[in-house]
Amino acid sequence: MKLVRFMAPGNPTPACGIVINDEIAELEGDIFSDPARRRGRYPLSGVSLLPPCSPTKVVAIGLNYGDHARELGFPIPDEPIIFLKPPTTIVGPGEAIVYPRSSSQVDFEAELGVVIRDRISSIKPGEAYGHILGYTCANDVTARDLQKKDGQWTRAKSFDTFCPIGPWIEKDLDPGDLLVESYLNGERKQSSRTSQLIFKIDLLVSFISGIMTLFPGDLIITGTPAGIGPMQPGDEVEVRIEGIGTLKNRVIADFGLRISD
Ligand code: MG
């Protein structure tokens, strides 16, 4: 079941729905409500899709594929490395990634996103899957030059628009061995499988919930495989995940002007 948030024609407030073939069945409630309670239908092509959830925080995992740790020259971590991206980084499918003027290397990072269903704190790994709403595609956009310069990652990971997610949340999915890919202007750049994750999803949810309370709609992005690379204004970047779909975004310059170096 594919859960979406969208703007229906003539309705100024966001709605939630289920994608059924090329239509959206609008739900009476939000993405957490009973999916059997429905309103009208809209053609998928006639609505604007929104980010499929509104997290209070995005918890990201660094260096969770061994080949990516090696390409950056970092050792394989013995515990999950976590960092936060603010909710203001979130954009939906088709929205622009704005290339900040203070960076000259902005990279894509294709990642599986895990959407939390309940308010949870200090849960065990064996309980994790019972508290997951579903899975989505995410792009952990990173100003790589600022990441290296700062020595910690907050600025590099936190620019507005630096976390595209979508196009929807797939509820019925085993995330254990999914193909994760990125494409830049149609050319494949990253290709790996979630079976290669160093720290698996149940362990990540448990680990993070032992640090901070997670709320419905909070998002965990699970790390990126090798093959990251830079984008330029005008580029189109796609994150494709098996069993979910394709998240597509275009990069634009800040205010239409890019100060070159
Ligand atoms: Mg990442």
Side-chain angles (χ1 to χ4, degrees):
M1 180 183 291
K2 293 177 167 60
L3 294 166
V4 287
R5 291 173 63 246
F6 66 102
M7 298 299 294
N11 187 343
T13 54
C16 295
I18 298 168
V19 178
I20 301 171
N21 299 319
D22 55 357
E23 288 188 321
I24 293 176
E26 185 180 357
L27 298 176
E28 287 189 4
D30 60 20
I31 56 174
F32 306 101
S33 61
D34 179 359
R37 296 170 65 92
R38 301 179 188 179
R39 291 178 174 156
R41 288 194 176 217
Y42 300 91
L44 188 55
S45 59
V47 306
S48 299
L49 293 183
L50 299 170
C53 60
S54 298
T56 69
K57 52 192 168 292
V58 180
V59 187
I61 312 300
L63 310 176
N64 204 22
Y65 288 82
D67 54 1
H68 174 59
R70 284 188 288 276
E71 79 179 346
L72 290 181
F74 288 105
I76 302 290
D78 56 10
E79 280 191 308
I81 294 171
I82 69 168
F83 59 95
L84 293 170
K85 291 169 82 84
T88 42
T89 58
I90 296 281
V91 290
E95 288 193 79
I97 298 165
V98 179
Y99 199 119
R101 287 192 284 180
S102 54
S103 174
S104 55
Q105 188 184 349
V106 175
D107 287 356
F108 54 83
E109 295 189 357
E111 307 200 5
L112 176 70
V114 178
V115 181
I116 299 298
R117 191 185 68 189
D118 308 303
R119 178 178 171 142
I120 52 173
S121 175
S122 296
I123 63 161
K124 297 183 175 72
E127 301 168 315
Y129 284 112
H131 298 291
I132 292 172
L133 178 67
Y135 304 90
T136 192
C137 304
N139 191 340
D140 177 19
V141 179
T142 303
R144 192 72 61 199
D145 51 347
L146 303 181
Q147 184 185 32
K148 291 173 181 165
K149 183 179 180 184
D150 290 354
Q152 50 80 25
W153 302 359
T154 304
R155 178 165 63 146
K157 296 284 191 177
S158 298
F159 287 95
D160 288 357
T161 75
F162 267 28
C163 194
I165 60 171
W168 38 65
I169 297 165
E170 176 56 66
K171 283 185 77 172
D172 308 311
L173 191 63
D174 177 349
D177 186 26
L178 304 175
L179 179 64
V180 176
E181 298 176 300
S182 64
Y183 288 76
L184 189 67
N185 302 321
E187 182 183 341
R188 191 170 67 178
K189 296 292 187 180
Q190 292 178 286
S191 181
S192 189
R193 305 193 69 85
T194 54
S195 53
Q196 300 303 307
L197 287 171
I198 296 168
F199 300 106
K200 308 297 187 195
I201 289 164
D202 53 351
L203 190 144
L204 293 174
V205 174
S206 171
F207 181 81
I208 295 163
S209 78
I211 302 163
M212 62 190 86
T213 300
L214 293 168
F215 290 92
D218 277 357
L219 180 68
I220 298 171
I221 57 175
T222 53
T224 201
I228 57 163
M231 304 178 289
Q232 301 298 332
D235 285 348
E236 183 181 79
V237 62
E238 294 173 54
V239 176
R240 299 184 193 173
I241 299 182
E242 180 181 7
I244 302 175
T246 299
L247 168 67
K248 195 180 291 188
N249 299 87
R250 191 167 285 281
V251 183
I252 63 169
D254 192 2
F255 305 117
L257 278 175
R258 167 102 198 280
I259 298 173
S260 57
D261 38 18

